[in-house]
Amino acid sequence: MMNVPNALTVFRILAVPFIIALLYFPNPTTCLLATVFFLVAILTDLADGFWARKYNQVTNFGKFLDPLADKILIASVLIMLVELNWIPAWIAIIVIVRELLVTGLRAIAADKGQVIAADKYGKMKTIMQSVALVPLIYHYPFFGIDTAQLGFLLLLVAVVLTLYSGWNYLYGFYRIWGD
C-alpha cells in the first residue's frame, strides 16, 4: 500500500501544517518558505501520478488519497488566506463548496456503478488554482511585481473555471441521472 506515489501523496498532506504554521507569522521569509513548501507539494502531485502510471503502482488507496490530498492542500491554504484577510471569504466558499458538491456527485455515481472522471475543465481549474495561490502565499512584492494583486487576478480566473467545471459536472450528472 505504501509505494512511492502514495508516499508522495502523504507528504503533500503532511506539508499542509507547515504551510499554515508559516503563514501564521507572515513576513517575507515565512511567506517565501510557505511558498516553497506549497510548490513542492504541488510538484509531488505531478510526480505521484506520473510515477504510479509509469511503474504500474496505481492503488485504490492512491485513487482515494490523491484527490483528497489536493482538496486538503487547496482548501487549507484558501482558509488561511481568508484568515489573513488576503482574499475574500466568498472565493474560498465557492471553491470548497464546488469540491464538496463534485465529491458528493462522484460518490452517488460510484454507488450506482458509474465513474465520473475528472474532465479537462476540472484539471484546468486545479492548475489555475495552484498557479494563483503561489503569488498569493508569497504576498510580498517580488522584483517590483505586486504578487498579491497578480495572485488575486489569477484566482478570479480560477474561480470562473471552478464555477464552470462545477456546472459541467452537475450537467453531466443530470444528463445521466436526471429522472
Side-chain angles (χ1 to χ4, degrees):
M1 184 167 81
M2 192 51 69
N3 56 26
V4 171
N6 291 344
L8 290 171
T9 300
V10 169
F11 169 80
R12 192 158 65 253
I13 294 169
L14 295 176
V16 171
F18 291 99
I19 295 167
I20 301 308
L22 288 164
L23 288 174
Y24 257 107
F25 306 99
N27 65 58
T29 302
T30 59
C31 288
L32 176 62
L33 289 171
T35 303
V36 169
F37 269 99
F38 182 79
L39 282 168
V40 170
I42 292 301
L43 291 175
T44 66
D45 189 24
L46 298 172
D48 67 15
F50 171 78
W51 187 287
R53 286 184 295 279
K54 182 173 180 167
Y55 296 105
N56 196 27
Q57 294 184 348
V58 176
T59 65
N60 287 333
F61 179 71
K63 287 180 193 177
F64 165 76
L65 196 61
D66 184 65
L68 181 62
D70 295 342
K71 289 168 183 40
I72 291 169
L73 177 64
I74 298 295
S76 298
V77 169
L78 286 171
I79 291 167
M80 192 61 208
L81 294 177
V82 169
E83 169 72 17
L84 292 166
N85 291 316
W86 291 357
I87 65 169
W90 64 266
I91 290 177
I93 292 167
I94 287 172
V95 171
I96 293 167
V97 167
R98 183 260 184 216
E99 295 304 328
L100 292 171
L101 184 62
V102 170
T103 299
L105 292 176
R106 284 183 169 153
I108 292 167
D111 189 52
K112 296 183 181 237
Q114 298 285 331
V115 174
I116 301 177
D119 65 6
K120 67 180 177 181
Y121 300 109
K123 292 177 183 178
M124 287 171 42
K125 174 253 336 162
T126 301
I127 291 167
M128 197 65 206
Q129 287 173 353
S130 300
V131 168
L133 289 176
V134 169
L136 280 167
I137 293 168
Y138 183 66
H139 189 71
Y140 293 93
F142 186 74
F143 292 108
I145 297 169
D146 184 348
T147 60
Q149 186 69 27
L150 172 63
F152 186 74
L153 292 174
L154 292 170
L155 191 58
L156 291 176
V157 173
V159 167
V160 170
L161 282 169
T162 298
L163 289 168
Y164 183 76
S165 69
W167 169 254
N168 203 35
Y169 279 107
L170 277 171
Y171 180 70
F173 183 83
Y174 176 76
R175 282 188 25 231
I176 295 171
W177 292 290
D179 303 348

